[in-house]
């Protein structure tokens, strides 16, 4: 269970029609019992509910060192609102300091108001120097913005969607992180559930956010089903597709953020990591054409 981060969007109880919130809550306990020591959350996950649940769980593990990552939403990008957001997160989590604070999405996305990048970055920097967080970073920013931020402040980490089926960070961002020794975290490592051992991956209720995820579009379904067939044929005995997906992301030097929501999902990760470089290379080659087809887009959501 080393070198993974447990994601908690599902725990918040919204946007996931296939998730049982109590099972997701139970998964948090199981994961920590099994050695997971980093948890990723955000104010927007269940309108703060995810942070509250994480806070409740932390009380039960007061003797363990658990690092909490949280975020500032794109409608809180001014200096005063960044502080307000952090204070809200700390209260819901019941902690005095975050391990890591990330800007969730750039200002201006999702219908939010534009804010000067420097104002947000300076507020992020101040959060670190004042001790509200140990580390700082951003999610989902374009490479040009990362380069601009790099001129203002030293970032500790970045977080982007990254999986065998969504490799947009390979169009410059992963190299940016490597050149500066910045940790790169990859969310949706299991491609929103596609890269698991569940074969029926595309039936959701109308309120499920995955209806708007490009990987579930009809445009990409033939390619994805072909890749899944080829990847499953590669699997060594006793290994699942999710084990391969996680091992591949780790082999790229990226830390997986896994939104596991059932204790049974932990089983695949308890199997020995796949370290066969030849097998992982073949997995890369299987998705190379699809990588080119999807291109450098950074958001999983929107038109295909």
């Amino acid at each position: 269970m080393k070198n993974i981060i447990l994601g908690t969007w599902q725990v918040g109880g919204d946007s996931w029609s296939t998730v049982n919130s109590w099972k997701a809550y139970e998964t948090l306990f199981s994961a920590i019992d099994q050695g997971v020591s980093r948890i990723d959350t955000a104010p927007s996950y269940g309108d703060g509910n995810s942070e509250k649940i994480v806070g409740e769980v932390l009380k039960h593990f007061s003797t363990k060192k658990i690092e909490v990552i949280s975020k500032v939403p794109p409608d809180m990008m001014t200096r005063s609102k960044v502080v307000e957001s952090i204070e809200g997160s700390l209260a819901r989590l019941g902690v005095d300091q975050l391990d890591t604070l990330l800007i969730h999405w750039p200002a201006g996305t999702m219908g939010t108001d534009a804010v000067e990048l420097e104002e947000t970055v300076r507020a992020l920097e101040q959060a670190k120097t004042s001790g509200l967080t140990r580390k700082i970073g951003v999610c989902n920013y374009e490479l040009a913005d990362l380069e601009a931020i790099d001129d203002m402040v030293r970032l500790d980490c970045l977080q982007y969607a990254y999986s065998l089926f969504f490799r947009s960070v390979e169009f410059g961002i992963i190299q940016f992180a490597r050149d500066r020794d910045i940790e790169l975290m990859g969310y949706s490592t299991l491609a929103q559930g596609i890269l698991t051992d569940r074969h029926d991956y595309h039936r959701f209720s109308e309120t499920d956010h995955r209806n708007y995820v490009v990987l579930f579009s009809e445009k990409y379904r033939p390619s994805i089903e072909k890749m899944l067939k080829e990847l499953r044929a590669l699997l060594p005995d006793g290994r699942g597709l999710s084990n391969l997906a996680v091992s591949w992301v780790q082999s790229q030097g990226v830390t997986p953020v896994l939104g596991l929501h059932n204790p049974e999902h932990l089983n695949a990760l308890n199997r020995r990591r796949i370290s066969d470089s030849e097998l992982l290379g073949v997995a890369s080659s299987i998705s190379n054409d699809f990588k080119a087809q999807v291109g450098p887009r950074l958001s999983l959501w929107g038109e295909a």
Side-chain angles (χ1 to χ4, degrees), residues 232-250:
R232 288 192 171 107
L234 283 178
L235 292 173
D237 291 341
R239 312 295 175 83
L241 188 57
S242 56
N243 191 238
L244 173 62
V246 172
S247 296
W248 182 84
V249 166
Q250 291 173 328

Side-chain angles (χ1 to χ4, degrees), residues 243-296:
N243 191 238
L244 173 62
V246 172
S247 296
W248 182 84
V249 166
Q250 291 173 328
S251 74
Q252 306 304 306
V254 177
T255 308
V257 181
L258 296 169
L260 308 176
H261 52 86
N262 189 311
E264 295 175 2
H265 296 162
L266 295 167
N267 294 339
L269 304 181
N270 283 327
R271 301 166 186 164
R272 187 164 51 87
R273 175 179 169 179
I274 297 173
S275 57
D276 184 332
S277 59
E278 183 176 350
L279 184 152
L280 294 170
V282 173
S284 288
S285 65
I286 286 172
S287 66
N288 270 338
D289 288 345
F290 191 65
K291 167 188 168 181
Q293 187 179 359
V294 174

Side-chain angles (χ1 to χ4, degrees), residues 38 46 76 150 208 238 287 302:
R38 302 177 78 188
M76 304 283 281
D150 194 47
D208 197 295
S287 66

Side-chain angles (χ1 to χ4, degrees), residues 16 28 46 49 54 58 60 67 72 75 77 104 138 141 144 148 157 176 186 191 197 212 216 243 260 265 268-269 296:
W16 296 84
L28 268 171
N49 195 41
V54 171
L58 292 177
H60 291 273
E67 299 177 0
V72 179
D75 60 346
M77 294 287 94
H104 205 163
V138 299
Y141 276 74
C157 50
F176 174 92
D197 300 315
Y212 309 100
F216 292 99
N243 191 238
L260 308 176
H265 296 162
L269 304 181

Side-chain angles (χ1 to χ4, degrees), residues 90-134:
L90 293 174
R92 287 185 290 272
L93 290 162
V95 298
D96 297 323
Q97 183 187 54
L98 295 171
D99 178 76
T100 304
L101 177 69
L102 303 171
I103 300 300
H104 205 163
W105 289 89
T109 58
M110 303 180 188
T112 59
D113 293 335
V115 176
E116 287 293 329
L117 181 60
E118 184 169 4
E119 179 174 358
T120 302
V121 170
R122 295 305 179 196
L124 195 62
E125 181 182 34
Q126 180 61 31
K128 182 176 180 178
T129 57
S130 65
L132 293 175
T133 182
R134 290 182 57 244

Side-chain angles (χ1 to χ4, degrees), residues 158-197:
L158 304 171
Q159 190 179 116
Y160 289 84
Y162 188 52
S163 71
L164 265 168
F165 289 176
F166 199 81
R167 297 168 58 179
S168 59
V169 297
E170 294 179 12
F171 292 87
I173 288 170
I174 197 168
Q175 193 60 52
F176 174 92
R178 286 172 180 165
D179 289 345
R180 292 158 180 80
D181 195 27
I182 297 173
E183 180 184 17
L184 181 57
M185 307 171 182
Y187 66 85
S188 293
T189 300
L190 302 179
Q192 301 279 308
I194 298 174
L195 283 164
T196 66
D197 300 315

Side-chain angles (χ1 to χ4, degrees), residues 221-233:
R221 183 166 297 175
S223 296
I224 284 178
E225 291 183 347
K226 178 176 180 291
M227 289 188 295
L228 285 173
K229 183 177 179 180
E230 293 175 356
L231 289 171
R232 288 192 171 107

